Amino acid sequence: VGDKVMVLARSGLWQEVVNVPASQTFLMPEGMSFEEAAALLVNYITAYMILFDFGNLRPNQSVLIHMAAGGVGTAAIQLCKTVENVTIFGTASASKHDSLKESGVAYPIDYRTMDYAEEVRKISPKGVDIVLDPLGGSDTSKAFNLLKPMGKLITYGLANLLTGQKKNLMAMAKTWWNQFSINALQLLHHNKAVCGYHLGYMDEEFELVGGVVAKLVNLYSQGKIKPKIDSVWPFDQVADAMRQMQEKKNVGKVILVPEAPKEESKKEEN
């Protein structure tokens, strides 16, 4: 009682009081704000397990990170920087490129105006060692083709399904139709790996997830990772918070809090 904790839950966290199993709670490290705690677990566990458990990231390798300015993207960039001489390619709209360069992305690529696969090949003709794929559809095929021999593609989302505020059945059908498919025999000839990751289905893996969280807390305490907060919104502005993401304006994590910060506390901070 009284412990400050980070929690994992599939859903139901957009409310003032929540009830979760103790096994899905983790002590916040010293000096961490509640906003940082809210931004840490899902994004950093995902990025860590993709890069290190599936990707086996090692010094002198190269990584392509899609949606590099988003929550998982910023986490992945910071984690890549904990390994020596990793070359990071990151896709994002042009307005976010300066921020990406500052955070350690060697080659930001504007996916809206350029073919990112061509841009990667110009710099690295053989491709990259690891691709993080939150997009799905035809982009998963492009990712597979961009892998070097012994390269690894980790797919963890279907962002191509989301094209706006309403469901787009055409986009869903197109993504489904273009979904990447390969069999074991084909993989044999390519010398490449394809992995799928979904943190939501790790509910019972307490030891596995707990071990990753312990490593992340250690990295945070050493100052090697720090959740990037784009903006903080009270519950009554949830529509504006969602719009911030739908319009792809955010660099880092969009956070919800029960109520707006009081003006007095803001003045005290200043």
Side-chain angles (χ1 to χ4, degrees):
V1 174
D3 283 344
K4 294 180 178 181
V5 294
M6 307 177 274
V7 303
L8 273 179
R10 271 207 205 184
S11 60
L13 293 181
W14 292 9
Q15 50 195 349
E16 292 177 8
V17 179
V18 295
N19 197 350
V20 298
S23 58
Q24 289 170 223
T25 66
F26 306 91
L27 286 171
M28 286 169 54
E30 201 68 37
M32 177 178 274
S33 69
F34 283 117
E35 289 77 13
E36 285 180 332
L40 185 87
L41 289 185
V42 171
N43 293 154
Y44 281 81
I45 291 171
T46 297
Y48 188 97
M49 295 186 87
I50 285 173
L51 284 170
F52 297 112
D53 293 326
F54 271 146
N56 192 24
L57 179 63
R58 299 192 302 282
N60 306 312
Q61 290 191 322
S62 53
V63 181
L64 171 60
I65 301 171
H66 286 297
M67 298 167 66
V72 174
T74 53
I77 292 164
Q78 291 179 14
L79 289 167
C80 282
K81 300 300 288 178
T82 67
V83 179
E84 192 180 351
N85 199 31
V86 171
T87 303
I88 305 171
F89 296 84
T91 65
S93 49
S95 61
K96 301 175 182 179
H97 285 193
D98 287 343
S99 171
L100 289 181
K101 280 182 180 172
E102 283 171 27
S103 65
V105 176
Y107 303 105
I109 301 167
D110 184 356
Y111 65 96
R112 293 178 178 179
T113 60
M114 297 172 170
D115 181 324
Y116 63 82
E118 281 182 20
E119 295 303 308
V120 170
R121 293 262 184 220
K122 283 178 191 172
I123 295 145
S124 178
K126 283 190 173 182
V128 295
D129 296 291
I130 301 170
V131 179
L132 279 63
D133 170 37
L135 303 175
S138 58
D139 285 292
T140 309
S141 302
K142 285 176 81 168
F144 186 78
N145 292 329
L146 266 177
L147 291 178
K148 292 179 180 178
M150 300 302 292
K152 298 162 191 78
L153 158 64
I154 303 97
T155 183
Y156 67 99
L158 286 167
N160 283 334
L161 291 179
L162 304 174
T163 55
Q165 292 184 21
K166 294 182 180 177
K167 281 183 181 175
N168 183 332
L169 294 178
M170 283 297 291
M172 292 173 78
K174 187 179 175 186
T175 302
W176 180 261
W177 179 257
N178 289 323
Q179 193 54 41
F180 177 71
S181 180
I182 194 165
N183 64 41
L185 195 59
Q186 290 169 308
L187 277 176
L188 195 76
H189 300 304
H190 283 286
N191 292 309
K192 297 176 181 180
V194 179
C195 311
Y197 180 85
H198 194 309
L199 178 58
Y201 293 98
M202 295 267 189
D203 298 55
E204 304 301 314
E205 303 300 325
F206 307 125
E207 284 185 35
L208 183 59
V209 172
V212 174
V213 174
K215 289 170 186 168
L216 292 172
V217 166
N218 189 32
L219 287 170
Y220 177 87
S221 300
Q222 292 176 44
K224 291 184 177 178
I225 62 171
K226 187 175 177 64
K228 189 174 180 67
I229 310 297
D230 172 78
S231 49
V232 179
W233 307 78
F235 282 1
D236 59 9
Q237 290 178 29
V238 65
D240 297 322
M242 291 298 293
R243 203 169 292 115
Q244 178 82 353
M245 291 192 296
Q246 283 168 341
E247 295 174 1
K248 299 185 176 174
K249 291 179 178 175
N250 61 303
V251 177
K253 195 73 174 158
V254 175
I255 297 290
L256 292 177
V257 293
E259 53 191 39
K262 291 178 181 158
E263 288 302 316
E264 303 87 73
S265 61
K266 277 188 182 174
K267 285 172 189 168
E268 281 172 26
E269 285 171 18
N270 294 337

